[in-house]
Amino acid sequence: MTTMPAAMSPFLAMLLAISLATTVKGWQPARTSRLATVTKIATDPNDPLLQPIAFKGSSFVSDSCWRAEGLQCIDEYNEDLLEVLDELRQQPFFRYYSVDLLKGCNYFPQDIDECSTQSCEIYPVDTGVVPKNIEAVDAAEYDFELDAWVRWDMPSDDYYDLFENREKYTGRDFNRAVNGLHSSISAHIVHGMLTDEAKHPVTGEPLDAHAEYERRLGRTGENPCALEHLYFGYMLCLCAVREATERLEACDFGLDNDGDEDGVRGLVSEVLMSPLLNNPGVLVAESRLRAHAANSGGGNLWQARLRTRDLLRIMDCVQCNVCRLHGKVGSLGLATALQVLLGAEGRGGDSSRLHRVEIAALISSLGKFANAIQIIKEFETAKTEAEQLTVE
């Protein structure tokens, strides 16, 4: 019998979720993988969307004309959008989440010991910190569809601050890349190694952030398509935010950190006006995803929805609480994007029915992807400069 580790990284957890269709729930290996069937466009190395991109000068380029347009637009406008998203994610509406961090793992036997690494620890915010209107909305939006893309934890009195408890290196080995969400979180992990002076949890030796970058995200590393997945995930989130424009414009975001009623709405408007949301090179990700969903048959959509629910539930097997918090919010954001873009029949969902926490997770995930793109560019620029010095 295989012994599973007591503490599991979000990436290893998501990798396990990919295989659950043929193990935990008894689906036969001969059947098509549920999530992979609908999102084959994001994993098929022969698809043009995932053909290699290269870093030249100070930006990523591609030989594909339509893809080059999307990359050029992201390179030109991502930094401006990230500045707005960074400010937006500090606002109460987008930073507080009621998450059940005590829920047990339903997929395999697991010790109940908490993670012993100090950086894994996280505590709920004090009573009165979360605005009453957010608590009221979350308490009222407890309903869910039986066949929805995701089911969030039932709200409780415990809220956690995503901004104060940021993604970082916590002493875990994230060694399995499965999708763009993984690439995004990996980027934040290696960046944290630069700023936090991370050390190996066993030997205490300093970690080489640039070596870790090459291992996790480099072209010759463990996942050669990591950057392609990252851009694909970012494009999907951009498309989902665009599709949810009416819901975002009608949403009551409450007060910002300065007590201004219009502050958050103004930031959201800036996001919705970003050229990235309407660039044809970006929107092609949405059209190709829908086309593939339609060609694969409607029966595979419900299987994909089961898989996204698996992704969220298996995060309860993560004993690093910081990792669990970010893993669950990231899974919710990705599932929300798929709900908006595909819905029940592959033609798009009703974004007017999105809950507060789903909107918050979608914007948070968009911010994570945008920041990951900037982190990748920083590492690639540093690598290019180091290579030039070596030549000289």
Side-chain angles (χ1 to χ4, degrees):
M1 178 177 178
T2 302
T3 302
M4 300 302 297
M8 175 178 289
S9 79
F11 309 138
L12 188 55
M14 284 188 284
L15 179 64
L16 178 60
I18 294 296
S19 65
L20 284 177
T22 58
T23 54
V24 175
K25 295 196 174 181
W27 277 283
Q28 299 300 314
R31 296 188 181 183
T32 306
S33 173
R34 291 177 289 172
L35 185 60
T37 298
V38 174
T39 58
K40 178 175 178 290
I41 190 69
T43 57
D44 185 357
N46 296 318
D47 192 280
L49 194 64
L50 288 182
Q51 294 310 300
I53 59 178
F55 189 81
K56 294 183 180 179
S58 61
S59 61
F60 286 99
V61 296
S62 172
D63 293 333
S64 170
C65 58
W66 63 263
R67 192 175 186 190
E69 182 180 358
L71 292 176
Q72 182 180 359
C73 187
I74 290 175
D75 184 60
E76 183 175 356
Y77 295 107
N78 184 67
E79 191 170 354
D80 293 336
L81 178 60
L82 176 59
E83 184 177 347
V84 179
L85 288 169
D86 280 345
E87 186 174 354
L88 194 59
R89 289 189 292 161
Q90 298 179 41
Q91 307 306 319
F93 187 95
F94 298 99
R95 66 189 289 176
Y96 296 121
Y97 297 84
S98 180
V99 184
D100 186 354
L101 296 183
L102 300 178
K103 188 182 296 183
C105 176
N106 294 323
Y107 292 103
F108 49 81
Q110 186 181 50
D111 295 335
I112 61 173
D113 295 337
E114 295 183 357
C115 173
S116 59
T117 304
Q118 183 64 33
S119 56
C120 292
E121 195 52 74
I122 184 175
Y123 299 97
V125 299
D126 294 335
T127 302
V129 171
V130 180
K132 294 296 183 183
N133 67 306
I134 290 181
E135 293 181 338
V137 169
D138 289 351
E141 294 180 337
Y142 60 84
D143 61 307
F144 60 86
E145 296 180 20
L146 291 177
D147 196 24
W149 283 89
V150 71
R151 300 172 190 170
W152 187 245
D153 296 342
M154 286 295 173
S156 68
D157 294 333
D158 289 340
Y159 275 79
Y160 296 88
D161 189 337
L162 202 68
F163 178 73
E164 289 296 331
N165 299 280
R166 305 185 189 187
E167 270 173 316
K168 57 185 177 180
Y169 178 73
T170 62
R172 293 298 177 260
D173 183 19
F174 300 86
N175 59 357
R176 301 286 181 157
V178 294
N179 54 24
L181 181 60
H182 176 187
S183 299
S184 172
I185 302 178
S186 285
H188 289 88
I189 296 301
V190 295
H191 187 258
M193 292 179 181
L194 284 176
T195 58
D196 296 341
E197 298 182 354
K199 292 180 172 53
H200 192 282
V202 177
T203 66
E205 294 292 324
L207 291 171
D208 186 339
H210 293 278
E212 281 297 297
Y213 171 81
E214 291 299 324
R215 181 175 75 86
R216 300 165 189 257
L217 297 164
R219 185 65 64 199
T220 59
E222 295 176 352
N223 183 12
C225 287
L227 300 185
E228 286 75 15
H229 285 299
L230 177 64
Y231 273 89
F232 180 77
Y234 187 32
M235 290 178 179
L236 285 185
C237 285
L238 287 166
C239 293
V241 169
R242 177 180 180 271
E243 292 291 333
T245 294
E246 291 186 7
R247 177 68 177 95
L248 287 166
E249 290 178 338
C251 189
D252 180 8
F253 298 107
L255 304 178
D256 66 9
N257 290 325
D258 297 323
D260 186 355
E261 293 183 356
D262 299 322
V264 179
R265 186 168 304 282
L267 292 171
V268 171
S269 296
E270 288 189 53
V271 171
L272 296 177
M273 289 188 295
S274 171
L276 287 174
L277 270 64
N278 295 290
N279 181 267
V282 173
L283 298 181
V284 71
E286 175 184 354
S287 61
R288 293 177 67 84
L289 180 68
R290 286 181 175 174
H292 182 79
N295 294 336
S296 63
N300 290 319
L301 282 172
W302 72 266
Q303 294 178 335
R305 292 194 291 275
L306 288 178
R307 175 55 53 84
T308 58
R309 295 201 291 268
D310 281 342
L311 289 178
L312 185 63
R313 285 196 297 266
I314 205 169
M315 291 302 165
D316 294 323
C317 301
V318 181
Q319 287 186 292
C320 166
N321 285 335
V322 173
C323 302
R324 182 186 293 204
L325 174 63
H326 283 275
K328 296 186 81 163
V329 172
S331 298
L332 177 61
L334 182 62
T336 301
L338 292 173
Q339 163 63 28
V340 170
L341 297 176
L342 294 176
E345 299 179 357
R347 295 190 294 269
D350 183 4
S351 61
S352 67
R353 303 181 63 182
L354 292 179
H355 291 175
R356 195 281 306 183
V357 69
E358 292 171 327
I359 296 173
L362 176 60
I363 294 296
S364 176
S365 296
L366 181 67
K368 290 175 182 290
F369 276 112
N371 194 50
I373 295 292
Q374 292 302 114
I375 292 173
I376 294 296
K377 290 181 64 176
E378 291 176 10
F379 273 93
E380 290 291 338
T381 299
K383 181 169 65 174
T384 300
E385 292 176 349
E387 291 173 350
Q388 292 175 344
L389 288 175
T390 301
V391 172
E392 296 175 355

